[in-house]
Amino acid sequence: MSTRATFLAGTTALVVVAGTGAVRSFACAADAPPPAKMTALGDWLRMLPDGTVEMYTDKVEVGMGVPTGFAQFVADELGVSFDHVRPMLGDTSDTISAGGVGGSFSTLRGNFAIRNAAAEMRSILLAAAAQRLGVPATQMIVTNGVIHVTGNPAQTLRYTDVLSALAPDPRFPLTGTGFSVDLTVPARPKDWMEYRIAGSSLPRKDAAGKAFGRYPYVVNVKPAGMLHGRFVYPPSIGVTLASVDPASVHGIGDARVVQIAGFAGVVATREWDAIRAARALKTTWTAPTVTLPAQAQLADYMWSQPVVKQSTVKNGDVDATLGSAPLEATYSWPFQSHANMGPGCTVVDVRADGVTVWSGT
Amino acid sequence: MQCGYCLNGWIMTAADLLAREKKPSRAQIKEALGSIVCRCGAHVAILRAVERAAKEMTA
């Protein structure tokens, strides 16, 4: 898979698509990759000729509403309608890596860069409008993508009217890593007190598509010539694949066995054939070298493990406050594991010019 | 709702139930939706949604 750097170096970067929609406003020379830690505004936001604002983020939607929240910020900062902001999520060749999602931090800590980008885009577009109208940008307010001049209701201009006047895609320093990634721009985001769309309760942008079966999941990705695969799981932890009997899947469509060292799986043109073949495949495994505690004794087992103490908040003097008053309680927390949402599925497309991977989070 | 992959399954199944049974009991709703698997834990909210839908559709 191409890295972001090679992707940028080999193509053009764009901030605002003007005119026909196919014209890219800024070309980044192939032999001069952008300086490290600099990024184009268009890596975050792009305005299309119809006024749609594409919002690029490495965040994905798995129930937290992050893209919806970000879109609310962008709508407020730019002065466009919430419906005109289109989240473009999670494509690693098209978005800045900013820690992905985790720990419910995305909206809390990830909003700075997108708000800065929106503030800067607004500033650039208003500067172009100021030149066109001969009125200072400070005298302009924007509602639903329409620029109004205060005190002169007759004087209006749309953002889309000034797209073509935009200078080449500006680049700004990118600071921080992970959730702390930020974009340093001259413009300042609005005071949160000015927000009207952010802070209001709006339908999540992904909800309707999910309700009506239009939202694309990884299982909907079907490159030409794709084969379906199924793992054959070991019967327990601590075992190694000893033998595979390919003859055991003969006659199940065009299913065939894939064996790589200790891994066994099957592939077939039809998914159902892959499922049936994985069930039918005869394998033998070595005796387990490790065993797991019995489910019924899991809680006792966990209590018997070494305790790692972790203090997240230390406020006041607990011992002094509680004094000698007896205070005792036992809490048991079910054993939990992280697992991806949706069907466990990954699609891999291997081509001569690169590999594309679609996967769950 | 988190990933939402199961969502249209809940809706279709609930619509089928409500087409047959205008005022289903909670037990009937659980029975009808029992085969749908969701790992995000939205079940209780979904049961409430079906009850609300039944109420609003017969109002």
Side-chain angles (χ1 to χ4, degrees):
Chain A
M1 186 155 200
S2 70
T3 64
R4 178 160 185 83
T6 59
F7 175 81
L8 281 178
T11 62
T12 56
L14 69 163
V15 58
V16 175
V17 184
T20 63
V23 177
R24 292 179 167 195
S25 64
F26 179 73
C28 157
D31 57 350
K37 295 285 188 183
M38 296 285 279
T39 182
L41 191 58
D43 293 338
W44 300 92
L45 294 172
R46 303 173 193 181
M47 187 176 286
L48 306 184
D50 68 355
T52 301
V53 179
E54 289 183 339
M55 180 186 81
Y56 290 80
T57 173
D58 71 330
K59 312 304 176 198
V60 293
E61 181 58 88
V62 279
M64 318 77 67
V66 177
T68 302
F70 279 15
Q72 289 176 274
F73 286 131
V74 169
D76 264 329
E77 286 294 342
L78 280 173
V80 300
S81 100
F82 172 71
D83 292 338
H84 277 83
V85 185
R86 180 187 297 157
M88 311 290 281
L89 310 176
D91 186 332
T92 54
S93 67
D94 231 11
T95 62
I96 305 284
S97 175
V101 292
S104 298
F105 284 128
S106 300
T107 303
L108 180 68
R109 292 170 60 184
N111 71 80
F112 301 107
I114 201 77
R115 282 166 61 204
N116 283 345
E120 184 60 27
M121 179 180 258
R122 173 192 166 94
S123 169
I124 292 170
L125 290 167
L126 286 188
Q131 205 166 24
R132 180 85 69 89
L133 295 173
V135 175
T138 49
Q139 287 179 26
M140 295 173 180
I141 53 167
V142 190
T143 312
N144 288 331
V146 181
I147 303 161
H148 301 268
V149 177
T150 50
N152 186 356
Q155 214 173 8
T156 63
L157 205 57
R158 294 182 171 278
Y159 271 154
T160 49
D161 295 332
V162 290
L163 281 185
S164 58
L166 278 165
D169 191 6
R171 294 187 169 275
F172 300 99
L174 193 67
T175 58
T177 55
F179 281 111
S180 302
V181 160
D182 201 359
L183 186 69
T184 310
V185 296
R188 285 190 58 194
K190 293 176 181 176
D191 187 278
W192 67 270
M193 290 288 284
E194 290 180 58
Y195 285 162
R196 296 291 175 271
I197 301 167
S200 65
S201 182
L202 293 170
R204 248 167 60 190
K205 280 191 175 280
D206 57 311
K210 288 175 173 176
F212 294 111
R214 294 191 301 256
Y215 193 92
Y217 292 87
V218 177
V219 289
N220 302 117
V221 176
K222 290 187 170 69
M226 184 180 84
L227 294 175
H228 288 272
R230 281 293 185 280
F231 296 151
V232 174
Y233 291 101
S236 74
I237 191 173
V239 300
T240 307
L241 185 65
S243 72
V244 173
D245 176 16
S248 57
V249 301
H250 280 173
I252 303 177
D254 60 352
R256 58 182 194 270
V257 175
V258 176
Q259 188 188 348
I260 303 166
F263 168 86
V266 294
V267 291
T269 304
R270 295 177 66 233
E271 185 174 17
W272 181 232
D273 289 338
I275 293 169
R276 288 194 299 150
R279 288 176 185 167
L281 186 66
K282 285 186 180 145
T283 52
T284 58
W285 305 79
T286 59
T289 55
V290 189
T291 53
L292 291 174
Q295 189 67 29
Q297 276 87 52
L298 189 57
D300 291 337
Y301 175 83
M302 287 167 71
W303 277 112
S304 71
Q305 298 308 297
V307 175
V308 179
K309 288 191 176 172
Q310 189 180 14
S311 176
T312 49
V313 177
K314 189 166 180 169
N315 197 353
D317 189 339
V318 175
D319 292 334
T321 306
L322 291 178
S324 58
L327 188 67
E328 193 178 312
T330 303
Y331 298 95
S332 183
W333 186 312
F335 190 73
Q336 298 183 346
S337 68
H338 273 86
N340 69 310
M341 304 300 299
C345 176
T346 296
V347 179
V348 183
D349 192 8
V350 182
R351 305 272 166 188
D353 60 346
V355 178
T356 307
V357 179
W358 294 264
S359 80
T361 61
Chain B
M1 178 190 60
Q2 292 187 12
C3 85
Y5 187 77
C6 60
L7 184 58
N8 48 75
W10 292 107
I11 293 171
M12 296 294 280
T13 311
D16 172 63
L17 170 68
L18 296 178
R20 291 183 281 110
E21 184 65 57
K22 299 294 175 203
K23 291 180 179 174
S25 65
R26 176 150 293 215
Q28 283 175 304
I29 298 171
K30 282 186 178 177
E31 168 71 23
L33 299 177
S35 64
I36 307 180
V37 181
C38 165
R39 60 155 297 150
C40 80
H43 300 75
V44 177
I46 291 168
L47 294 179
R48 282 202 308 268
V50 177
E51 287 172 340
R52 183 177 150 197
K55 201 173 169 184
E56 292 188 7
M57 288 164 73
T58 54

